[in-house]
Amino acid sequence: MAKFPDFEGLAMFAKVAEEGSFAAAARAMGVSVPTVSRAVARLEERLGGRLFNRTSRQLALTEFGHSMAAKAADIYRQAEAIESEAHELSVQPRGQVRLAVPMSFGLRWVAPLMPELIRQFPELSVDLHLSDHSVDLIAEGFDAALRIAALPDSSLVARRLCPVTQYLVAAPTWIARHGAPDHPRALSGLPCFSYAWRARSQVWRFTHTSGAQEDIVPNGPLRVTNSDALLPVLLDGLGIAELPDFIAAEYLRDGRLVRLLDEWSMTRGGLYFVTPTARSRPLKVRVLSDFFAQHLREAHWHRSE
């Protein structure tokens, strides 16, 4: 039967190779120099080759040692990562997470989840920043953000939680007076209210079921930095606007708004949990990501349609 791998010897060898001396490795690991020396000698005997050339003044890896050092270091790092993860899982996440969330989505779908989050993670606190302006996570010191529609910058790490679609809508009273447009080009000259913080540009891009595309620049008497501000003028029958499905769904269900140009789709994006980096993300950020993935992975706003 094969012997059990000498993980201790491999770990101590990796640390000596990293630190450049037996004494420094012993200090880093909190053991004695003889303990490290015996472990490396035992490993050399087991592997059948010298790992270090030793003199009274110098310690250097042999060619064989060089070939083994990277592999041993990888095993050491994996063991550290496993122990670190196990330690984190054995304790409750704690501390503050600074989280940026779009205003309308945050009020409708994130704030209602806060009671469950607080009950589930009593030692975690969330500094919830509600704004439609896209914050700079790194420069402004945020741990994470929920972002809608456009993919985040390549410098950020994104986890897609659910789809988000934009609809072109108007009130039945407006349609009764003006008729429903049958093509995006028919929007020219009509009162089209717009949203200032669109991810890419002020152009409305339509894609037909046939694959044809049409770009329109909306023109109207109102431009807002929060989509909820479009609802009063829409419901009053004063024009047309683009709304995300998580706002429009309830109004479409009860008939207060009607979707226009059914055969033409607008922006199809998603809701993303984004962080500055995937490396060394603290437990408090990881559990928040998993919490939102669990509760928002489906488009809840469509459940009653």
Side-chain angles (χ1 to χ4, degrees), residues 84-188:
S84 176
E85 183 175 347
H87 175 71
E88 286 189 336
L89 291 174
S90 69
V91 298
Q92 278 279 349
R94 58 173 56 88
Q96 185 185 82
V97 179
R98 297 196 69 218
L99 177 70
V101 180
M103 176 73 74
S104 294
F105 187 84
L107 291 174
R108 278 177 169 80
W109 302 105
V110 176
L113 293 175
M114 290 300 101
E116 175 61 24
L117 182 72
I118 291 169
R119 282 194 295 268
Q120 191 171 339
F121 305 109
E123 297 185 50
L124 187 68
S125 66
V126 177
D127 181 357
L128 187 60
H129 179 88
L130 297 171
S131 173
D132 283 356
H133 177 64
S134 183
V135 301
D136 185 325
L137 298 190
I138 297 172
E140 298 181 49
F142 283 92
D143 298 294
L146 291 177
R147 288 191 176 166
I148 290 171
L151 285 170
D153 292 352
S154 59
S155 61
L156 302 176
V157 178
R159 178 181 186 178
R160 194 173 192 268
L161 303 181
C162 68
V164 175
T165 302
Q166 303 291 327
Y167 293 147
L168 191 71
V169 297
T173 53
W174 187 89
I175 296 172
R177 289 195 303 270
H178 303 281
D182 59 1
H183 192 281
R185 287 194 293 269
L187 299 173
S188 178

Side-chain angles (χ1 to χ4, degrees), residues 34-295:
T35 297
V36 177
S37 181
R38 285 194 298 269
V40 172
R42 185 180 67 241
L43 184 65
E44 287 178 323
E45 182 178 354
R46 183 180 180 117
L47 297 178
R50 292 183 63 82
L51 297 168
F52 294 103
N53 287 318
R54 305 168 178 82
T55 68
S56 58
R57 295 185 178 181
Q58 189 175 14
L59 181 72
L61 286 165
T62 63
E63 183 177 350
F64 177 60
H66 272 294
S67 70
M68 297 300 298
K71 299 181 180 69
D74 188 52
I75 293 170
Y76 188 91
R77 284 192 297 270
Q78 288 183 47
E80 283 188 318
I82 290 169
E83 287 190 352
S84 176
E85 183 175 347
H87 175 71
E88 286 189 336
L89 291 174
S90 69
V91 298
Q92 278 279 349
R94 58 173 56 88
Q96 185 185 82
V97 179
R98 297 196 69 218
L99 177 70
V101 180
M103 176 73 74
S104 294
F105 187 84
L107 291 174
R108 278 177 169 80
W109 302 105
V110 176
L113 293 175
M114 290 300 101
E116 175 61 24
L117 182 72
I118 291 169
R119 282 194 295 268
Q120 191 171 339
F121 305 109
E123 297 185 50
L124 187 68
S125 66
V126 177
D127 181 357
L128 187 60
H129 179 88
L130 297 171
S131 173
D132 283 356
H133 177 64
S134 183
V135 301
D136 185 325
L137 298 190
I138 297 172
E140 298 181 49
F142 283 92
D143 298 294
L146 291 177
R147 288 191 176 166
I148 290 171
L151 285 170
D153 292 352
S154 59
S155 61
L156 302 176
V157 178
R159 178 181 186 178
R160 194 173 192 268
L161 303 181
C162 68
V164 175
T165 302
Q166 303 291 327
Y167 293 147
L168 191 71
V169 297
T173 53
W174 187 89
I175 296 172
R177 289 195 303 270
H178 303 281
D182 59 1
H183 192 281
R185 287 194 293 269
L187 299 173
S188 178
L190 296 179
C192 296
F193 311 121
S194 57
Y195 175 63
W197 297 120
R198 296 185 90 254
R200 297 183 183 276
S201 72
Q202 294 308 306
V203 173
W204 287 354
R205 170 158 292 178
F206 294 87
T207 303
H208 192 261
T209 52
S210 66
Q213 289 192 334
E214 192 77 34
D215 289 350
I216 300 296
V217 178
N219 184 31
L222 181 64
R223 186 166 175 259
V224 302
T225 58
N226 182 274
S227 292
D228 272 307
L230 296 172
L231 289 170
V233 292
L234 281 170
L235 296 173
D236 203 49
L238 297 179
I240 298 169
E242 171 194 42
L243 285 181
D245 52 6
F246 62 82
I247 293 178
E250 65 174 291
Y251 298 94
L252 295 174
R253 280 196 298 268
D254 63 22
R256 284 179 288 171
L257 292 176
V258 176
R259 184 179 174 188
L260 304 176
L261 299 174
D262 286 349
E263 293 185 350
W264 295 82
S265 62
M266 300 188 77
T267 304
R268 290 179 176 174
L271 173 70
Y272 296 88
F273 185 91
V274 299
T275 54
T277 176
R279 293 186 177 183
S280 303
R281 285 193 303 175
L283 178 63
K284 62 184 181 179
V285 174
R286 295 206 303 272
V287 298
L288 199 62
S289 174
D290 292 341
F291 177 84
F292 287 128
Q294 176 188 350
H295 290 278

